[in-house]
Coordinates of all heavy atoms in Angstrom, one line a residue:
C1 N 107.5 69.8 97.6 CA 107.6 69.3 99.0 C 109.0 68.9 99.3 O 109.5 69.1 100.4 CB 106.7 68.1 99.1 SG 104.9 68.5 99.0
L2 N 109.7 68.2 98.3 CA 111.0 67.7 98.6 C 112.1 68.9 98.9 O 112.9 68.9 99.8 CB 111.5 66.8 97.6 CG 112.9 66.0 97.8 CD1 112.8 65.1 99.1 CD2 113.3 65.2 96.6
L3 N 111.9 69.9 98.0 CA 112.8 71.1 98.2 C 112.5 71.8 99.5 O 113.5 72.2 100.2 CB 112.4 72.1 97.0 CG 112.9 71.8 95.6 CD1 112.3 72.8 94.6 CD2 114.4 71.8 95.5
S4 N 111.3 72.0 99.9 CA 111.0 72.5 101.3 C 111.6 71.8 102.3 O 112.2 72.2 103.3 CB 109.5 72.7 101.4 OG 109.3 73.3 102.7
C5 N 111.4 70.4 102.2 CA 111.8 69.5 103.3 C 113.4 69.5 103.4 O 113.9 69.6 104.6 CB 111.4 68.1 103.0 SG 112.0 66.7 104.1
L6 N 114.1 69.4 102.3 CA 115.5 69.4 102.4 C 116.3 70.7 102.5 O 117.4 70.7 103.2 CB 116.1 68.7 101.2 CG 115.6 67.2 100.9 CD1 116.3 66.7 99.6 CD2 115.8 66.3 102.1
F7 N 115.7 71.8 102.0 CA 116.4 73.1 102.0 C 115.7 74.2 102.8 O 116.3 75.2 102.9 CB 116.6 73.5 100.5 CG 117.4 72.5 99.8 CD1 116.8 71.7 98.8 CD2 118.8 72.4 100.0 CE1 117.6 70.8 98.0 CE2 119.6 71.5 99.2 CZ 118.9 70.7 98.3
G8 N 114.4 74.0 103.1 CA 113.8 75.0 103.9 C 114.4 75.2 105.3 O 114.7 74.2 106.0
E9 N 114.6 76.4 105.7 CA 115.0 76.7 107.0 C 113.8 76.6 108.0 O 112.7 76.5 107.6 CB 115.6 78.1 107.1 CG 116.9 78.3 106.2 CD 117.4 79.6 106.2 OE1 116.8 80.6 106.7 OE2 118.5 79.8 105.8
N10 N 114.1 76.6 109.3 CA 113.1 76.5 110.2 C 112.0 77.4 110.1 O 112.2 78.8 110.0 CB 113.7 76.6 111.7 CG 112.7 76.0 112.7 OD1 111.7 75.3 112.4 ND2 113.0 76.3 114.0
R11 N 110.7 77.0 110.0 CA 109.5 77.9 109.8 C 109.3 78.4 108.4 O 108.4 79.1 108.2 CB 109.4 79.0 110.8 CG 109.4 78.5 112.3 CD 109.3 79.6 113.3 NE 110.6 80.3 113.4 CZ 111.7 80.0 114.2 NH1 111.5 78.8 114.9 NH2 112.8 80.6 114.2
D12 N 110.1 78.0 107.5 CA 109.9 78.5 106.1 C 108.6 77.8 105.5 O 108.3 76.7 105.7 CB 111.1 78.1 105.2 CG 112.2 79.1 105.3 OD1 112.2 80.0 106.1 OD2 113.3 78.7 104.7
I13 N 107.9 78.6 104.7 CA 106.8 78.2 103.8 C 107.1 78.3 102.4 O 107.2 79.5 102.0 CB 105.4 78.8 104.2 CG1 105.1 78.6 105.8 CG2 104.3 78.2 103.4 CD1 103.9 79.4 106.3
F14 N 107.2 77.3 101.6 CA 107.6 77.4 100.2 C 106.3 77.5 99.4 O 105.3 77.0 99.8 CB 108.4 76.2 99.7 CG 109.8 76.2 100.1 CD1 110.3 76.7 101.2 CD2 110.7 75.6 99.2 CE1 111.7 76.7 101.5 CE2 112.1 75.6 99.4 CZ 112.6 76.2 100.6
F15 N 106.4 78.2 98.3 CA 105.2 78.3 97.4 C 105.7 78.6 95.9 O 106.8 79.1 95.8 CB 104.3 79.4 97.9 CG 104.8 80.8 97.8 CD1 104.8 81.6 96.7 CD2 105.5 81.4 98.9 CE1 105.3 82.9 96.7 CE2 106.0 82.6 98.9 CZ 105.9 83.4 97.7
P16 N 105.0 78.2 94.9 CA 105.4 78.5 93.5 C 105.3 80.0 93.3 O 104.3 80.6 93.6 CB 104.4 77.7 92.7 CG 103.6 76.9 93.6 CD 103.6 77.5 95.0
K17 N 106.3 80.5 92.6 CA 106.3 81.9 92.2 C 105.3 82.1 91.0 O 105.3 81.2 90.2 CB 107.7 82.4 91.8 CG 108.6 82.7 92.8 CD 110.0 83.2 92.1 CE 111.1 83.5 93.1 NZ 112.3 84.0 92.5
L18 N 104.5 83.1 91.1 CA 103.8 83.4 89.9 C 104.7 83.9 88.7 O 105.7 84.5 88.9 CB 102.8 84.6 90.2 CG 101.9 84.3 91.4 CD1 100.8 85.4 91.5 CD2 101.2 83.0 91.3
S19 N 104.3 83.4 87.5 CA 105.1 83.7 86.3 C 104.2 83.6 85.1 O 103.0 83.3 85.2 CB 106.3 82.8 86.2 OG 105.8 81.5 86.0
K20 N 104.8 83.7 83.9 CA 104.0 83.5 82.8 C 103.6 82.1 82.5 O 102.6 81.7 81.9 CB 104.9 83.9 81.5 CG 106.1 83.1 81.3 CD 106.9 83.5 80.0 CE 108.1 82.7 79.8 NZ 108.0 81.4 79.6
D21 N 104.3 81.1 83.3 CA 103.9 79.7 83.2 C 102.9 79.4 84.3 O 102.2 78.4 84.1 CB 105.2 78.9 83.4 CG 106.1 79.0 82.2 OD1 105.6 79.0 81.1 OD2 107.4 79.0 82.4
L22 N 102.8 80.1 85.4 CA 101.9 79.8 86.4 C 100.8 81.0 86.5 O 101.2 82.0 87.0 CB 102.6 79.5 87.8 CG 101.6 79.2 88.9 CD1 101.0 77.8 88.6 CD2 102.4 79.2 90.2
H23 N 99.6 80.7 86.1 CA 98.7 81.8 86.0 C 97.3 81.2 86.3 O 97.1 79.9 86.3 CB 98.6 82.5 84.7 CG 98.6 81.6 83.5 ND1 99.7 81.1 82.9 CD2 97.5 81.1 82.9 CE1 99.3 80.3 81.9 NE2 98.1 80.3 81.9
L24 N 96.4 82.0 86.6 CA 95.0 81.6 87.0 C 94.3 81.1 85.7 O 94.4 81.7 84.6 CB 94.2 82.6 87.6 CG 94.7 83.2 89.0 CD1 94.2 84.5 89.4 CD2 94.3 82.0 90.1
I25 N 93.6 80.0 85.9 CA 92.8 79.3 84.8 C 91.4 79.0 85.4 O 91.4 78.5 86.5 CB 93.5 78.1 84.2 CG1 94.9 78.3 83.9 CG2 92.8 77.6 83.0 CD1 95.7 77.1 83.5
T26 N 90.4 79.1 84.5 CA 89.1 78.7 84.9 C 88.8 77.3 84.8 O 89.5 76.7 83.8 CB 87.9 79.5 84.2 OG1 87.9 79.1 82.9 CG2 88.1 81.0 84.4
F27 N 88.0 76.7 85.6 CA 87.7 75.2 85.3 C 87.0 75.0 84.0 O 87.2 74.0 83.3 CB 86.8 74.7 86.5 CG 87.5 74.5 87.8 CD1 87.3 75.3 88.9 CD2 88.5 73.4 87.8 CE1 88.0 75.1 90.1 CE2 89.2 73.3 89.1 CZ 88.9 74.1 90.2
K28 N 86.3 76.0 83.6 CA 85.6 75.9 82.3 C 86.6 75.8 81.1 O 86.4 75.0 80.2 CB 84.7 77.2 82.1 CG 84.0 77.2 80.8 CD 83.0 78.4 80.7 CE 82.2 78.5 79.4 NZ 83.0 78.9 78.2
E29 N 87.7 76.6 81.2 CA 88.7 76.5 80.1 C 89.3 75.1 80.1 O 89.6 74.6 79.0 CB 89.8 77.6 80.4 CG 89.5 79.0 80.2 CD 90.6 79.9 80.6 OE1 91.5 80.2 79.7 OE2 90.7 80.4 81.7
I30 N 89.6 74.6 81.3 CA 90.3 73.3 81.3 C 89.3 72.2 80.8 O 89.7 71.3 80.1 CB 90.8 73.0 82.7 CG1 91.8 73.9 83.1 CG2 91.2 71.5 82.8 CD1 92.5 73.7 84.5
A31 N 88.1 72.4 81.2 CA 87.1 71.4 80.7 C 87.0 71.3 79.2 O 86.9 70.3 78.6 CB 85.7 71.7 81.3
E32 N 87.0 72.5 78.6 CA 86.9 72.6 77.2 C 88.1 71.9 76.5 O 88.0 71.3 75.5 CB 86.7 74.1 76.8 CG 85.3 74.6 77.2 CD 85.2 76.1 77.0 OE1 86.3 76.8 76.9 OE2 84.1 76.6 76.9
T33 N 89.3 72.3 77.0 CA 90.5 71.7 76.4 C 90.5 70.2 76.7 O 91.0 69.4 75.7 CB 91.8 72.3 77.1 OG1 91.7 73.8 77.0 CG2 93.0 71.9 76.5
F34 N 90.1 69.8 77.8 CA 90.1 68.3 78.1 C 89.3 67.6 77.2 O 89.6 66.5 76.7 CB 89.6 68.1 79.6 CG 89.5 66.7 80.0 CD1 90.5 66.0 80.3 CD2 88.2 66.1 80.0 CE1 90.3 64.6 80.7 CE2 87.9 64.8 80.5 CZ 89.1 64.0 80.7
L35 N 88.0 68.1 76.9 CA 87.2 67.5 76.0 C 87.8 67.4 74.5 O 87.7 66.4 73.8 CB 85.8 68.2 75.9 CG 84.9 67.9 77.1 CD1 83.7 68.9 77.0 CD2 84.5 66.6 77.2

């Protein structure tokens, strides 16, 4: 949010790039790890 606020040009929409670090995870996987 701060990056977009301070550096975004007019009408820019910032979003996280997909990478090996950001990937889809199921809620079931997280629940099992959480437990």
Side-chain angles (χ1 to χ4, degrees):
C1 290
L2 192 59
L3 286 171
S4 177
C5 176
L6 299 185
F7 300 107
E9 296 180 349
N10 197 12
R11 295 180 289 275
D12 279 357
I13 302 175
F14 279 38
F15 63 90
K17 281 185 187 176
L18 302 187
S19 67
K20 62 180 178 61
D21 290 320
L22 183 65
H23 50 270
L24 290 163
I25 311 171
T26 66
F27 285 113
K28 179 175 181 285
E29 288 178 87
I30 293 181
E32 291 167 339
T33 306
F34 175 78
L35 286 173

